Amino acid sequence: MDTLETSKSLDKELYSRQLYVLGLPAMQRIQGAKVLLSGLQGLGAEVAKNLVLMGVGSLTLHDPHPTCWSDLAAQFLLSEQDLGRSRAEASQKLLAELNGAIQVCVYTGDITEDLLLDFQVVVLTASRLEEQLRVGTFCHKHGVCFLVADTRGLVGQLFCDFGKNFIVQDPTEAEPLTAAIQHISQGSPGILTLREAADAHHFHTGDWVTFSGIEGMVELNGCDPRPLYVREDGTLEIGDTTAFSAYLRGGAVTEVKRAKTVSHEPLDAALLQPRVVAQSPQEVHRARCLHQSFRALHKFQQLHDRPPKPWDPVDAEMVVDLAQAMGPLKGTEGKPLEEQLDEALVRTVALSSAGGLSPMAAVLGAVAAQEVLKAISGKFMPLDQWLYFDALDCLPEDGDPFPNPEDCAPRRCRYDGQTAVFGADFQEKLSHQRYFLVGAGAVGCELLKGFALMGLGAGGRGGVTVADMDHVELSNLSRQFLFRSQDVHRQKAEVAAEAARRLNADLRVTPLNLPLHPSTEDVFGDDFFSGVDGVAAALDTFEARDYVAARCTHFLKPLLEAGTTGTRGSTGVFIPHVTENYRAPSSDAASEDAPDPVCTVRYIPTTTEHTVQWAKGEFDDLFCESAKTINSNPEALSSPEDLVKSQKQPLLQTMRGVLTERPQTWRDCVLWALGHWQLRFHHGITQLLRTYPPDRVQEDGAPFWSGPKQCPQPLEFDSSQDTHLLYVLAAANLYAQMHGLPGSQDQTALRGLLNLLPQPDPQNLDRIFASELELDSPSGCKQLHEDLKTWRKGPPLEPLTFEKDNDSNFHVDFVVAAASLRAQNYGIPAAGHAEIKRIVGRIIPAVVTTTAAVAGLVGLELYKVVGGPRPLHAFRHSYLRLAENYFSRWVPKAPDIQEFHHLKWTCWDRLEVPAGQPERTLGSLLALIQELQGLRVTMLLHGSALLYSAGWSEEKQARHLSHRVTDLVKKAPGQRVLVLEVGYEGEEYDTNFPRLHYKL
């Protein structure tokens, strides 16, 4: 096999989110890979799309079969105009447009042995078993990684054979563990104590580790990996340290990931002795029955030269008989398995197997593409070796009638593949749905693609509204299928809507360039939601999800939601009165945007996140807020007294730094940057240690600097050290940009200039430090006021807004250098450039495979929601980790039932009261509530406004009770319902009673 000869450099901005998942070495291997994909129905199109977006070097398509109507329900690269054309040839142009750097070729001949030798990976989809065995046997013999993927209606299979000795370089997605060291003893074994005791729980006996940044016992720095033994007290044994120098301070211990070797069997052997991916014995048995179902379907095709007809009971019984005749499978020891074939399962598979569904193609295509990337890159553990996935829970419940053959027969329309499973009546129901899609990012694009293929809102009164306020960015293009390079800077919602209409001209989609947010409730209010059948949320913050969920609970609308991080994805379905409502994980929601305490970040940081938060604050203060202050607050500079009153003197003192006049040259900017380096990483630390010396003791006798609080050490500036130079280079360029001066990227010249510059005057640094502590003298404020006059004489300063995705503007460079130096001050394990950029930019690692998978899982739940009332056990939440081959679907929880006296209710219940004619007074409303509920009302709230309290005086109660309800509240234009909170006599503190919906 050959790899692609390429000199292309990797577009790190395009693949920025993906690089956080796969890493640069894996991406470089992917960029040089050659893949053959045979079979371009819906599943093959999904595999191809994912591989092209993720940057595989060369993709060769093979499928000489003509496009037919049944393809269009799942094959988004084809349209009615392609009917009769070769699927591969018709798909090539749109695939190539997804990523101009990828070679997308078409092969029209037969698959020969010479052809196979030209590829690293070969993927067969929608292929016959005879072809699978022929190709699989050859690939196994010649070291070509081989995959088979297939979907039949609501079931799918995936098989991987990467050979006998496939090396997995990095088995898991998790980053190597790193923890700060408190102490290391000399001895055999040496005992390592971690600075944070809780970190010990993340290490395990048998882990291999190395060390960095240690002072004293330097022999450990960069040593060969050593095995760990975790002791009961949480300390770690690290081997013999007797001959090493005594430990002094600092350092980090870091896990070393070890490569693993995987051995796969060829398809002919694995067919009779299948190893299946499953989480329980029940899942293993079901997977084996599905395995036999696929074998029987292949046999039926071989005998009759056609697949079973949709919902044909005669054909289905023939498939069951063929499965029974195959005999038992073999277990891991080669002995026949004594398992009963689930005939009902095989029968249902056969009845519904004729269709091709876009959600199933999305799920299996995502997993298959991820396995191709594993084969190419050695990144993450491959499947072992069969995966079976089924969503037969989408079919009618036991006892409900299945679709009849006539309703599922082909009609020569684009939905034939879907009606073959669910019937024409269901398709008509789908077309009349009105759905609201919140978010047109990666998951939103995949969902909208699925809606177009399914025909959701594509007829009658139906339609889809998509809302998103963001614009397309270059980094979106590697995972957001509906966007192209020419769409960068355009509104996401508009671009996504246009692209979805190209997929299905009948789709009625309305874009809105707005967020769903309290500020837009005048748009997304009662009138809007009254015309919506359901909501799909594709959002990337828990705060936004919580708000959307609250609106769905308020308006009693079904909510389908999905999210991803790296190769991990989750989906949820929330149905009024059937399931619980959505609630964000408490720990994630609480930590999402909450800053750490200011004192911790400024003076006693203990984590990488603290150093990054501090560095980002430095950027904002120095290069953004100070410029805004000087530009927009002339009154603050009118006198020294006004400067003090403005409380901006510490900010402006630091911005001025060691200069007394506005900078005029690059040299001035470098001088300022060097002074600020000394202030932050040497002088400021020295001053801090005067107040809190290393031997300071607290009132209880414990050392002040102990445990996670590491005593800082001042740094000495050294232009030969890259991080020191990067800080000055970035800071000087940013200072120059803010003042409208030219900068420089010449590091050699900068080193020479730094050697010529005088060191900053310590008295100047004292002055700045005192100002920051608000200890500035009156004379100091007066001098600052005089100096800043020169800043106002020139043109306005340019505030710099932090931009995370531009690596050439020095924004990220400054934060990386500042955070790294801060970490050195405090002995905190250093983080790399990419990790710091991820933290400061709040970047969510992402790959299109996970995105496509969760969108497919949402589509499957959509079938159930649209199909009509379903019991709780029909629905599924989902969670997956593609890197570790973990797939889980489970029944949601029912809504909690709350009780108070004789009342029982859930989160979905409310007390509905019409306003009446004439409109009710507050007194009559309270009387009605007490009559309906049989309880005395003690409180009535509208938002934060208290409308009534039983604790008020009789006079105040009388005044309020005579008013009309609407006279006491503010209501938005077009608002149809007032939502009121009610309190009752004798209630517990945490009781959440049903809201009162007062209909206007």
Side-chain angles (χ1 to χ4, degrees), residues 221 609 637 676 861 967:
N221 290 330
E609 287 73 17
L637 304 178
H676 201 72
E861 296 307 303
D967 292 337

PDB file of all heavy atoms in Angstrom, residues 221 609 637 676 861 967:
ATOM      1  N   ASN A 221      14.032  14.775  35.907  1.00  0.00           N
ATOM      2  CA  ASN A 221      13.501  15.572  34.806  1.00  0.00           C
ATOM      3  C   ASN A 221      13.788  14.912  33.459  1.00  0.00           C
ATOM      4  O   ASN A 221      14.948  14.651  33.117  1.00  0.00           O
ATOM      5  CB  ASN A 221      14.088  16.987  34.808  1.00  0.00           C
ATOM      6  CG  ASN A 221      13.568  17.810  35.963  1.00  0.00           C
ATOM      7  OD1 ASN A 221      12.454  17.615  36.431  1.00  0.00           O
ATOM      8  ND2 ASN A 221      14.383  18.753  36.438  1.00  0.00           N
ATOM      9  N   GLU A 609      -5.543  26.821  34.864  1.00  0.00           N
ATOM     10  CA  GLU A 609      -6.685  27.685  34.582  1.00  0.00           C
ATOM     11  C   GLU A 609      -6.543  29.032  35.276  1.00  0.00           C
ATOM     12  O   GLU A 609      -6.904  30.076  34.711  1.00  0.00           O
ATOM     13  CB  GLU A 609      -7.989  27.010  35.015  1.00  0.00           C
ATOM     14  CG  GLU A 609      -8.454  25.868  34.134  1.00  0.00           C
ATOM     15  CD  GLU A 609      -7.631  24.601  34.279  1.00  0.00           C
ATOM     16  OE1 GLU A 609      -6.887  24.478  35.283  1.00  0.00           O
ATOM     17  OE2 GLU A 609      -7.713  23.733  33.406  1.00  0.00           O
ATOM     18  N   LEU A 637      -9.749  62.549  33.392  1.00  0.00           N
ATOM     19  CA  LEU A 637      -8.381  63.046  33.312  1.00  0.00           C
ATOM     20  C   LEU A 637      -8.308  64.562  33.471  1.00  0.00           C
ATOM     21  O   LEU A 637      -7.260  65.169  33.248  1.00  0.00           O
ATOM     22  CB  LEU A 637      -7.761  62.639  31.972  1.00  0.00           C
ATOM     23  CG  LEU A 637      -7.761  61.138  31.657  1.00  0.00           C
ATOM     24  CD1 LEU A 637      -7.172  60.882  30.289  1.00  0.00           C
ATOM     25  CD2 LEU A 637      -6.996  60.377  32.716  1.00  0.00           C
ATOM     26  N   HIS A 676       7.183  45.965  31.851  1.00  0.00           N
ATOM     27  CA  HIS A 676       6.031  45.223  32.371  1.00  0.00           C
ATOM     28  C   HIS A 676       6.416  43.790  32.711  1.00  0.00           C
ATOM     29  O   HIS A 676       5.881  43.206  33.667  1.00  0.00           O
ATOM     30  CB  HIS A 676       4.880  45.246  31.360  1.00  0.00           C
ATOM     31  CG  HIS A 676       3.556  44.975  31.994  1.00  0.00           C
ATOM     32  ND1 HIS A 676       2.906  45.883  32.807  1.00  0.00           N
ATOM     33  CD2 HIS A 676       2.781  43.862  31.997  1.00  0.00           C
ATOM     34  CE1 HIS A 676       1.780  45.357  33.255  1.00  0.00           C
ATOM     35  NE2 HIS A 676       1.694  44.129  32.776  1.00  0.00           N
ATOM     36  N   GLU A 861     -35.135   9.742  17.424  1.00  0.00           N
ATOM     37  CA  GLU A 861     -36.141  10.108  18.427  1.00  0.00           C
ATOM     38  C   GLU A 861     -37.241  10.973  17.809  1.00  0.00           C
ATOM     39  O   GLU A 861     -38.396  10.920  18.234  1.00  0.00           O
ATOM     40  CB  GLU A 861     -35.479  10.848  19.598  1.00  0.00           C
ATOM     41  CG  GLU A 861     -34.481  10.009  20.373  1.00  0.00           C
ATOM     42  CD  GLU A 861     -35.057   8.681  20.840  1.00  0.00           C
ATOM     43  OE1 GLU A 861     -36.079   8.697  21.556  1.00  0.00           O
ATOM     44  OE2 GLU A 861     -34.497   7.631  20.463  1.00  0.00           O
ATOM     45  N   ASP A 967     -53.332  45.331  35.889  1.00  0.00           N
ATOM     46  CA  ASP A 967     -52.875  46.653  36.323  1.00  0.00           C
ATOM     47  C   ASP A 967     -51.658  46.556  37.235  1.00  0.00           C
ATOM     48  O   ASP A 967     -50.985  47.563  37.480  1.00  0.00           O
ATOM     49  CB  ASP A 967     -53.999  47.395  37.065  1.00  0.00           C
ATOM     50  CG  ASP A 967     -55.150  47.774  36.145  1.00  0.00           C
ATOM     51  OD1 ASP A 967     -54.907  47.876  34.921  1.00  0.00           O
ATOM     52  OD2 ASP A 967     -56.274  47.951  36.636  1.00  0.00           O
TER      53      ASP A 967
END
